[in-house]
Amino acid sequence: KTAENKVSSETKKLSEFVKDKSKSLVDRLESYEDIINLEVGDTGLHRAKAMEREFDIRQLYIKYEGDNPTGTQKDRIAFAQIYDALRREFEVVSLATCGNYGVAVALAANLAGIACRIYIPESFHTDRVVEMQLLGAEIIRIPGNYEDVVKESSELAKNNGWYDANPGGANTPLQISAYSQIATEIFEDLGDAPKYCAVPVSNGTLFAGIYRGFVSLYKRGKTSRIPKMVAASSSNKNPIIQSFLQGLDHCKDLNPEAIKETKYNEPLINWHSFDGEEALYALKESDGEAYNISDKKLRDMTALLAKKEGFRILPASTAGLIALLELDEKMNFEPDRFVAVLTAKN
């Protein structure tokens, strides 16, 4: 799909205005803000009653990030950063990606009229490359793993005066702020914070952002509590989970050679989590829990969600939900409100 049939006709009109450099920057930014308000966030919070009956848990809610324009939570940080790039009058944005993030930035850049250069590891196979290209992004394949490619694309951005949209750099506070909005939306729907909030973990930015959002709400007296945060990722392939389970006070990198990508775990795995320290802090401060999840469990939960709730979910996206249900099995939760964030549609 191209940008043209991903977004509303109203957004297309606003995009033409944003791209018109004869207009003032203030007016162009205002129009881009309107695009963000129209297209990104305010995703659904669904009471999963069939899953409640299946697993004997009360009340289970699913925060479905697949409602965003490219089908993942990544749209939130992509649009926030392209707004920042537009404000600072960058002509080119660059980043490394294994898939979903690239599509999100490509769409956001396309609507802003900013050129987009996307670096992908040679060994990675993502069927979303075609989407990125249809959205006008230039794809560059370079050798090395994801972390290597992030480093190289950041260097190229610095040397060429491009906007660097990679994780773990100067934009981390911006990304965490964009993700904190998820906590605000959950609060607005529930009227308070849930008892637990479960999130799939890769780089840790999403996890840290949601936690920060809940902390901010609590400090301002909006909620009665901060939820216990549950992190989940692919078994033994994520530094945040492993560091927490080992009781470490810092996020320790894994051995890159020991990490193998599959079609189910690819969005979750890495040997270095760029915002690992932030995520580890969130886990500890919230008295949270961390879980390793197998490919088989990811696959099975995807099938069960489709059957019971009608959701078409990317398997990796179900990691947090699986962890939450396993924690309930262990602790036999009292009735309360529990939220699992599902990050991507299938």
Side-chain angles (χ1 to χ4, degrees), residues 13-255:
K13 283 178 192 162
L14 286 164
S15 172
E16 291 309 312
F17 194 96
V18 175
K19 292 173 184 175
D20 184 352
K21 291 186 179 176
S22 70
K23 309 286 187 202
S24 77
L25 183 59
V26 171
D27 285 343
R28 291 168 65 212
L29 284 168
E30 211 168 77
S31 293
Y32 199 74
E33 262 180 74
D34 289 341
I35 289 174
I36 295 173
N37 291 334
L38 273 171
E39 298 291 342
V40 182
D42 286 325
T43 55
L45 187 73
H46 305 267
R47 174 96 182 261
K49 289 189 177 179
M51 293 291 283
E52 287 180 6
R53 289 189 285 273
E54 181 81 8
F55 291 93
D56 193 25
I57 182 173
R58 298 284 178 272
Q59 304 167 31
L60 177 63
Y61 291 87
I62 286 168
K63 179 66 169 166
Y64 181 51
E65 287 293 290
D67 285 345
N68 285 306
T70 68
T72 82
Q73 85 284 4
K74 302 283 188 185
D75 287 317
R76 292 179 184 267
I77 56 171
F79 277 80
Q81 287 178 118
I82 294 298
Y83 177 86
D84 187 45
L86 189 66
R87 180 181 64 80
R88 293 161 62 192
E89 302 189 73
F90 279 87
E91 300 286 330
V92 180
V93 60
S94 86
L95 67 144
T97 186
C98 302
N100 291 334
Y101 185 41
V103 183
V105 176
L107 174 61
N110 177 293
L111 293 169
I114 293 174
C116 184
R117 294 175 66 87
I118 296 175
Y119 295 86
I120 299 176
E122 274 177 353
S123 60
F124 275 66
H125 305 287
T126 170
D127 50 12
R128 302 206 79 177
V129 169
V130 176
E131 281 180 86
M132 297 176 214
Q133 289 171 322
L134 286 169
L135 289 161
E138 183 185 348
I139 307 296
I140 304 102
R141 295 271 191 180
I142 49 179
N145 57 37
Y146 169 68
E147 288 77 6
D148 296 333
V149 177
V150 167
K151 192 176 174 187
E152 189 163 338
S153 69
S154 284
E155 283 294 315
L156 285 163
K158 187 178 171 186
N159 295 340
N160 289 287
W162 302 333
Y163 186 93
D164 182 6
N166 279 303
N171 291 343
T172 295
L174 187 69
Q175 295 178 356
I176 285 177
S177 173
Y179 280 146
S180 73
Q181 188 58 33
I182 294 173
T184 303
E185 290 171 19
I186 292 169
F187 155 69
E188 284 170 352
D189 283 335
L190 293 182
D192 200 352
K195 175 83 171 172
Y196 282 85
C197 183
V199 184
V201 167
S202 177
N203 275 321
T205 323
L206 174 69
F207 191 85
I210 294 174
Y211 170 71
R212 289 278 174 199
F214 280 122
V215 168
S216 172
L217 289 163
Y218 179 73
K219 282 180 177 171
R220 287 183 283 137
K222 300 278 189 189
T223 63
S224 66
R225 59 189 177 184
I226 297 166
K228 294 175 190 288
M229 299 294 293
V230 180
S233 196
S234 181
S235 293
N236 306 313
K237 297 180 184 71
N238 185 273
I240 298 161
I241 307 295
Q242 297 316 106
S243 297
F244 181 81
L245 293 176
Q246 289 166 27
L248 301 179
D249 61 358
H250 64 286
C251 194
K252 185 184 174 188
D253 288 348
L254 303 180
N255 173 13

Side-chain angles (χ1 to χ4, degrees), residues 64 66 71-73 100 127-128 200 263-268 298-299 301-303 305 311-319 322 342-346:
Y64 181 51
T72 82
Q73 85 284 4
N100 291 334
D127 50 12
R128 302 206 79 177
K263 66 177 180 176
Y264 299 109
N265 71 20
E266 183 273 311
L268 298 170
L298 296 173
R299 199 173 59 236
M301 183 55 74
T302 300
L305 274 170
F311 282 111
R312 290 179 63 245
I313 298 293
L314 197 71
S317 174
T318 65
I322 296 165
L342 297 182
T343 47
K345 70 181 177 187
N346 203 359

